Amino acid sequence: MAFCLTVLGSSGSYSSPESGPCSGYLVQTDAAAVWVDCGHGTFLELQRHVAPEALAAIVISHQHADRCNG
């Protein structure tokens, strides 16, 4: 099964216009789309690729602000 990994953001602890959104990733297969880590600013980027209601799951790796504040 093939999958696509899209980096929604990879900034450090704070997002900014210069560094972009905090940590967030979209993993997609033919069958499902999963949002992994939802750092600040990644929700906007997510919507560029998939409708939020189409997500099969949201996974948060740990509860630091750069991973779950979005």
Side-chain angles (χ1 to χ4, degrees), residues 10-66:
S10 61
S11 182
S13 298
Y14 301 98
S15 62
S16 73
E18 294 81 27
S19 61
C22 289
S23 297
Y25 311 91
L26 175 63
V27 179
Q28 293 175 286
T29 68
D30 291 336
V34 177
W35 186 9
V36 180
D37 288 335
C38 47
H40 186 263
T42 59
F43 185 65
L44 176 64
E45 293 301 316
L46 173 78
Q47 293 176 85
R48 296 180 196 276
H49 302 278
V50 66
E53 61 271 14
L55 292 171
I58 298 172
V59 176
I60 298 175
S61 64
H62 59 283
Q63 292 184 347
H64 288 164
D66 67 325

